[in-house]
Amino acid sequence: LELAELYKSQNKHQHVLDTLNELGTDKFTNEHYFVALGDAYFELEKVDSARAVYEEALKVNARNLAASIKLARLDKASNQKDKALKRILQFFNYDLTDEIRIVVNRELGYLSEEPRINDDAFKYYRRSLILYREIAENALSLQQRLEQEFSESINIKLENQASNEEGEVSFIV
């Protein structure tokens, strides 16, 4: 997969496809393999093949968000917006990290646009931004607490060193 990722970073999608096909789907049952293969097909405008291998990724792991997003976008492009939304909405049934909730809400915002941002899209984008801001604020708060604790521990250490030095007696011969 590393070689395929290297080709992907260079936009050499046919090389990605060739490399992944050499591995063979019969030997390689990793969900990430199928997503990478689907991405290569998609970039080469082989949409039906992309859809098929994204579906294979979901057979390996029904909770693969990357494959679900790619399929939802294909659904939206083929005027199946309700199917696309349902595919992503299912993720709210799972225990998600805040970072994944941001991605899910952002994707629902994108899928809800018709063709401009409507009330539903705005709602999802807003949720995504609120979560992002909360994460950033929590991270800043944590950083400030850690810096305060570090500063306090340094001060305690310096005070202990100073008190030890005051009590030391030295003899010069």
Side-chain angles (χ1 to χ4, degrees), residues 130-167:
I130 288 169
L131 281 169
Y132 182 81
R133 186 177 63 211
E134 287 174 1
I135 288 172
E137 288 171 355
N138 289 340
L140 181 60
S141 175
L142 176 61
Q143 178 186 0
Q144 289 169 340
R145 273 198 332 265
L146 291 173
E147 286 174 357
Q148 178 67 31
E149 290 174 11
F150 179 71
S151 178
E152 288 172 3
S153 68
I154 294 294
N155 287 338
I156 290 170
K157 188 172 184 173
L158 290 174
E159 288 171 6
N160 287 340
Q161 278 181 332
S163 66
N164 286 342
E165 289 173 5
E166 288 174 6

Side-chain angles (χ1 to χ4, degrees), residues 51 68 71-90 107-108 110-114 118 120 124:
R51 182 180 293 280
S68 294
L71 285 167
R73 288 182 176 201
L74 290 174
D75 293 338
K76 181 182 179 182
S78 61
N79 295 316
Q80 297 177 346
K81 179 183 165 188
D82 290 339
K83 183 177 179 182
L85 289 169
K86 184 178 177 184
R87 191 180 295 276
I88 302 303
L89 281 168
Q90 73 170 333
E107 193 60 30
L108 287 167
Y110 168 77
L111 295 171
S112 296
E113 294 177 8
E114 357 172 296
N118 56 23
D120 286 337
Y124 290 121

Side-chain angles (χ1 to χ4, degrees), residues 7 11-21 40 44 46:
Y7 284 137
N11 292 321
K12 295 180 178 180
H13 303 292
Q14 186 60 52
H15 290 306
V16 172
L17 188 61
D18 295 342
T19 301
L20 293 174
N21 280 327
L44 293 169
K46 298 178 180 182

Side-chain angles (χ1 to χ4, degrees), residues 114-131:
E114 357 172 296
R116 296 187 188 123
I117 295 178
N118 56 23
D119 289 344
D120 286 337
F122 180 80
K123 173 182 72 175
Y124 290 121
Y125 284 137
R126 184 173 183 272
R127 284 184 192 167
S128 180
L129 289 171
I130 288 169
L131 281 169

Side-chain angles (χ1 to χ4, degrees), residues 21-135:
N21 280 327
E22 284 178 23
L23 292 173
T25 57
D26 55 327
K27 298 176 195 166
F28 213 99
T29 58
N30 181 312
E31 65 194 275
H32 306 294
Y33 165 82
F34 290 114
V35 171
L37 187 59
D39 290 348
Y41 279 125
F42 181 80
E43 292 297 330
L44 293 169
E45 299 179 7
K46 298 178 180 182
V47 177
D48 292 335
S49 296
R51 182 180 293 280
V53 292
Y54 289 142
E55 292 287 354
E56 287 298 317
L58 293 180
K59 287 178 186 175
V60 176
N61 178 3
R63 295 181 180 189
N64 184 300
L65 182 59
S68 294
I69 286 174
K70 307 293 173 96
L71 285 167
R73 288 182 176 201
L74 290 174
D75 293 338
K76 181 182 179 182
S78 61
N79 295 316
Q80 297 177 346
K81 179 183 165 188
D82 290 339
K83 183 177 179 182
L85 289 169
K86 184 178 177 184
R87 191 180 295 276
I88 302 303
L89 281 168
Q90 73 170 333
F91 281 89
F92 286 127
N93 296 324
Y94 309 135
D95 184 29
L96 304 175
T97 65
D98 286 340
E99 291 83 358
I100 299 298
R101 283 188 185 286
I102 289 171
V103 172
V104 168
N105 277 292
R106 187 189 65 222
E107 193 60 30
L108 287 167
Y110 168 77
L111 295 171
S112 296
E113 294 177 8
E114 357 172 296
R116 296 187 188 123
I117 295 178
N118 56 23
D119 289 344
D120 286 337
F122 180 80
K123 173 182 72 175
Y124 290 121
Y125 284 137
R126 184 173 183 272
R127 284 184 192 167
S128 180
L129 289 171
I130 288 169
L131 281 169
Y132 182 81
R133 186 177 63 211
E134 287 174 1
I135 288 172

